[in-house]
């Protein structure tokens, strides 16, 4: 496709080639937006929003995280980061893409948007690589009680030791995702929590690179990452001058119907972040970029980015 370049770069895991995309523009760009996608999806799902940002003068880049999309090594298990340091490798891969893009466009400010699992990865990035962004958008995030995260990790470790970390466990899957659909009963599908737009849910289900059996190891890595970003002493190490926008639907189970988003926002305020804001959309669920009113969400995101150029 015109102005869309797909390429690969080596993952920090030393084994996988990471698939990445750059949506370029013909005119003089004003900035770069990097996108970190969620669990069980991939970078090219964000093409409509990338094209919207192209029209506003932004180059957009994104990569498929380890075990997702086309970033799966030959013979590797999909939806698995790897046995050791998976979360760290995924964040390091995000930084590698940021570094490559920064060297290619050294004069342009770079913003990072992370959705769902990508929001937790983005929050990890802000702690581990402070001062490398012009701003961050944290979309579809949440904040879980520390005791729940700890108990979930213990259960995942126990089951992983028994069946293997690269295997699927219905028990662990229910623990992490089971509660999201309950508020929308009677359920039409297992993914009603993703979107109030039934067509979007159906597209997700029909997409062979979306959904699937998430491994015990990936869920263990994600719970470890969530525990890391929710520790206030880690949040306090972020660069307080990096502007941050929290944005979600108020019917998003990942964000506890807004409560978890507000808790994460307050942790950033407590850390002294000077420019942090919060926006919740009434009636929207998890994938706010794909809801029927997505044009409004697009416009709001652009307004925030433009104000921070």
């Amino acid at each position: 496709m015109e102005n869309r370049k797909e390429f690969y770069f080596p993952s920090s895991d030393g084994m996988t080639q990471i698939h990445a995309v750059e949506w370029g523009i013909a005119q003089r760009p004003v900035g770069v937006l990097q996108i970190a996608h969620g669990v069980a999806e991939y970078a090219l799902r964000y093409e409509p929003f990338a094209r919207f940002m192209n029209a506003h003068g932004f180059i957009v880049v994104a990569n498929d995280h380890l075990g997702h999309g086309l970033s799966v090594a030959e013979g590797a298990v999909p939806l698995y980061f790897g046995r050791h340091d998976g979360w760290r490798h995924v964040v390091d891969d995000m930084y590698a893409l940021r570094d490559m893009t920064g060297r290619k466009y050294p004069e342009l400010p770079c913003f990072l948007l992370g959705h769902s699992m990508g929001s937790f990865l983005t929050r990890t990035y802000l702690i581990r690589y402070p001062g490398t962004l012009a701003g961050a958008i944290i979309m579809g995030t949440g904040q879980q009680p520390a005791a729940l995260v700890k108990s979930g990790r213990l259960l995942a470790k126990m089951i992983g030791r028994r069946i293997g970390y690269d295997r699927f466990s219905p028990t662990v899957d229910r623990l992490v995702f089971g509660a999201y659909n309950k508020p929308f009963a009677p359920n039409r599908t297992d993914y009603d929590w993703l979107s109030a737009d039934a067509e979007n849910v159906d597209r997700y289900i029909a997409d062979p690179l979306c959904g699937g059996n998430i491994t015990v190891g990936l869920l263990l890595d994600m719970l470890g990452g969530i525990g890391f970003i929710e520790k206030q002493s880690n949040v306090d190490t972020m660069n307080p001058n990096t502007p941050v926008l929290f944005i979600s639907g108020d019917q998003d189970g990942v964000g506890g119907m807004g409560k978890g988003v507000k808790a994460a926002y307050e942790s950033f305020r407590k850390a002294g972040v000077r420019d942090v804001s919060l926006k919740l959309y009434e009636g929207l669920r998890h994938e706010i970029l794909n809801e029927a009113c997505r044009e409004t969400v697009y416009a709001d995101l652009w307004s925030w980015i433009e104000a921070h150029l």
Side-chain angles (χ1 to χ4, degrees), residues 110-309:
C110 180
F111 295 79
L112 175 60
L113 181 155
H115 168 68
S116 193
M117 180 183 74
S119 78
F120 301 129
L121 290 164
T122 296
R123 288 162 66 182
T124 308
Y125 181 104
L126 288 168
I127 293 167
R128 291 195 51 219
Y129 294 104
T132 60
L133 299 169
I137 298 165
I138 297 173
M139 176 184 296
T141 204
Q143 192 95 336
Q144 302 297 329
L148 182 62
V149 174
K150 184 177 181 180
S151 62
R153 293 196 73 215
L154 289 172
L155 177 63
K157 284 180 178 178
M158 181 183 71
I159 292 177
R161 284 194 295 266
R162 181 165 56 83
I163 69 171
Y165 291 96
D166 61 350
R167 302 288 296 277
F168 170 73
S169 164
T171 302
V172 179
D173 189 71
R174 280 196 302 272
L175 171 74
V176 178
F177 298 106
Y180 295 159
N181 237 13
K182 288 181 182 178
F184 309 109
N187 300 127
R188 187 178 68 90
T189 75
D190 290 338
Y191 296 100
D192 292 359
W193 60 276
L194 284 180
S195 177
D197 185 340
E199 290 185 6
N200 178 47
V201 173
D202 291 342
R203 281 193 298 270
Y204 180 93
I205 293 170
D207 193 325
L209 294 179
C210 287
N213 291 334
I214 298 169
T215 60
V216 175
L218 189 153
L219 293 173
L220 180 61
D221 277 328
M222 185 158 58
L223 288 169
I226 290 171
F228 176 81
I229 62 175
E230 292 185 353
K231 191 174 181 181
Q232 189 64 44
S233 60
N234 291 330
V235 181
D236 291 344
T237 67
M238 298 187 308
N239 186 328
N241 296 316
T242 301
V244 178
L245 170 66
F246 284 89
I247 186 167
S248 291
D250 74 350
Q251 297 300 301
D252 181 2
V254 175
M257 305 305 189
K259 292 180 181 178
V261 187
K262 292 175 182 175
Y265 163 77
E266 289 298 338
S267 76
F268 276 52
R269 290 190 63 193
K270 187 177 179 181
V273 177
R274 294 183 174 88
D275 183 350
V276 55
S277 50
L278 168 66
K279 187 171 183 63
L280 295 174
Y281 291 93
E282 184 177 357
L284 298 195
R285 300 183 190 178
H286 190 53
E287 290 197 338
I288 62 174
L289 287 182
N290 296 322
E291 293 279 34
C293 63
R294 53 189 166 271
E295 292 85 0
T296 299
V297 180
Y298 284 16
D300 290 344
L301 286 170
W302 168 244
S303 293
W304 185 86
I305 291 171
E306 184 181 33
H308 292 89
L309 276 175

Side-chain angles (χ1 to χ4, degrees), residues 4-37:
R4 189 180 82 191
K5 176 187 176 185
E6 297 182 53
F7 58 98
Y8 289 83
F9 64 89
S11 170
S12 70
D13 76 348
M15 297 177 288
T16 308
Q17 290 294 309
I18 297 297
H19 173 254
V21 188
E22 178 181 315
W23 291 273
I25 58 175
Q27 70 269 31
R28 184 180 179 87
V30 297
V32 173
L33 176 68
Q34 181 171 330
I35 297 174
H37 68 76

Side-chain angles (χ1 to χ4, degrees), residues 42-94:
Y42 57 101
L44 282 171
R45 285 192 80 218
Y46 292 79
E47 179 147 42
F49 183 63
R51 293 305 186 189
F52 170 85
M53 290 301 297
N54 286 163
H56 287 84
F58 263 68
I59 292 163
V60 181
V61 296
N63 67 275
D64 295 343
H65 301 309
L66 274 174
H68 289 72
L70 300 181
S71 296
V72 183
E74 186 175 352
V77 177
L79 302 180
Y80 184 52
F81 289 159
R83 184 64 191 92
H84 300 289
D85 297 323
W87 194 260
R88 178 175 66 82
H89 288 313
V90 175
V91 176
D92 286 346
D93 293 341
M94 289 167 58

